[in-house]
Amino acid sequence: MKLKTLEMTFRSTKEFKENILCTRGFFATKFNEYVQLHNHITDKLVYRYPTIQYKVIRNRPLILGINEGIDVLKEIFDDFDIVKLGDTEYEIIQRSMTIKKQEFGLSDKIHFYEFLTPWLPIKQENHEKFLQLKTMEEQKEMLRRILTGNLLSMSKGLNYTVPDLIKCDLDVKITRSEYKDVNFLSFYGGFMANFCIPKYMGIGKSAAMGKGTVQEIRVYRDN
């Protein structure tokens, strides 16, 4: 199916130093009436695929809107001249909005993707289970299953029914990422799948906060 996305970027008189959590906090506080900006209703987290995602691409903030998230970003686009992150104020001198229609879903071709930001596939309570697997192939098989689950979960959240099996493989290196003062196993590298994912969409844990952001690097062949 065709998926509509909106990329919103902005530039200040100085380089943004704060982390992405601060960026989300600013917009969630200033425009609290829009649930998509923070995914909370009366302080309870809404468990669904985020239609607004906060990222830093090439050292510049980027906010991605998907489906209903697009309408929210259009509403707030002209409503901030200063972004306050922590104790620092950034005067906005330039902003842009790019709307795209991109393919999403199962494909008859193999698509190759790279992770622009760390992918967090494993819940903290399963870290030891993963590390205790005896071989790298066992670890890889666990990651394949999780990646497939991530794509199925994302599809469900975007009201897309996957009509056939997802085929995927990956080539990643393990590292660690900190999120809300907690260390998680995370992975850099890339993967291939018979699945179309629009540019800058996130998969896995904390996609709203920019984790697991992907970019297609090439299309290989027919299945």
Side-chain angles (χ1 to χ4, degrees):
M1 73 175 192
K2 291 283 189 179
L3 196 65
K4 199 172 181 181
T5 63
L6 184 153
E7 298 167 14
M8 184 172 84
T9 60
F10 44 91
R11 188 163 63 89
S12 174
T13 52
K14 51 191 173 184
E15 183 180 351
F16 286 87
K17 297 292 187 182
E18 279 71 20
N19 65 34
I20 200 64
L21 282 171
C22 296
T23 308
R24 187 194 194 198
F26 168 79
F27 285 99
T29 301
K30 184 172 178 63
F31 305 104
N32 185 257
E33 66 271 28
Y34 296 108
V35 173
Q36 294 89 345
L37 289 170
H38 47 76
N39 291 324
H40 284 78
I41 297 178
T42 60
D43 296 329
K44 291 185 178 180
L45 181 63
V46 179
Y47 289 97
R48 66 185 180 191
Y49 185 74
T51 56
I52 290 181
Q53 302 176 12
Y54 300 83
K55 306 164 189 295
V56 175
I57 306 296
R58 290 182 285 277
N59 297 318
R60 289 185 62 182
L62 182 147
I63 304 177
L64 181 72
I66 307 163
N67 291 346
E68 67 267 26
I70 293 174
D71 296 329
V72 173
L73 294 184
K74 284 181 178 178
E75 285 290 325
I76 69 172
F77 183 72
D78 288 322
D79 286 351
F80 61 96
D81 295 317
I82 291 175
V83 172
K84 186 173 182 180
L85 305 180
D87 296 325
T88 307
E89 290 189 347
Y90 296 88
E91 180 186 357
I92 304 305
I93 59 172
Q94 180 182 337
R95 69 191 80 198
S96 68
M97 186 167 57
T98 304
I99 297 176
K100 300 177 181 179
K101 280 188 176 180
Q102 303 178 74
E103 290 292 338
F104 175 83
L106 206 68
S107 172
D108 61 357
K109 295 179 172 60
I110 298 294
H111 299 258
F112 289 74
Y113 301 93
E114 63 177 338
F115 287 111
L116 301 179
T117 60
W119 175 44
L120 276 60
I122 301 173
K123 295 179 180 179
Q124 191 185 24
E125 57 267 28
N126 291 330
H127 283 191
E128 287 304 316
K129 178 181 177 181
F130 174 80
L131 294 173
Q132 288 173 6
L133 292 174
K134 295 180 180 179
T135 67
M136 291 182 63
E137 184 54 39
E138 287 178 318
Q139 291 183 341
K140 196 171 183 180
E141 179 56 31
M142 181 177 176
L143 292 176
R144 286 192 201 101
R145 292 196 303 269
I146 294 173
L147 176 59
T148 300
N150 286 171
L151 297 177
L152 289 171
S153 178
M154 177 168 61
S155 298
K156 182 178 179 181
L158 297 172
N159 298 315
Y160 170 75
T161 300
V162 180
D164 206 342
L165 291 176
I166 295 175
K167 303 172 186 176
C168 64
D169 202 357
L170 37 76
D171 182 12
V172 292
K173 294 182 179 180
I174 191 170
T175 180
R176 287 187 179 270
S177 294
E178 187 175 288
Y179 176 66
K180 293 184 177 180
D181 298 323
V182 178
N183 281 315
F184 287 88
L185 288 179
S186 60
F187 299 83
Y188 265 113
F191 65 95
M192 59 182 185
N194 60 336
F195 205 91
C196 295
I197 308 171
K199 187 177 184 179
Y200 298 145
M201 283 181 63
I203 64 173
K205 184 177 175 60
S206 303
M209 303 306 303
K211 303 299 184 184
T213 298
V214 304
Q215 176 175 270
E216 186 172 342
I217 50 180
R218 67 184 186 277
V219 179
Y220 180 52
R221 60 173 175 80
D222 291 335
N223 285 334

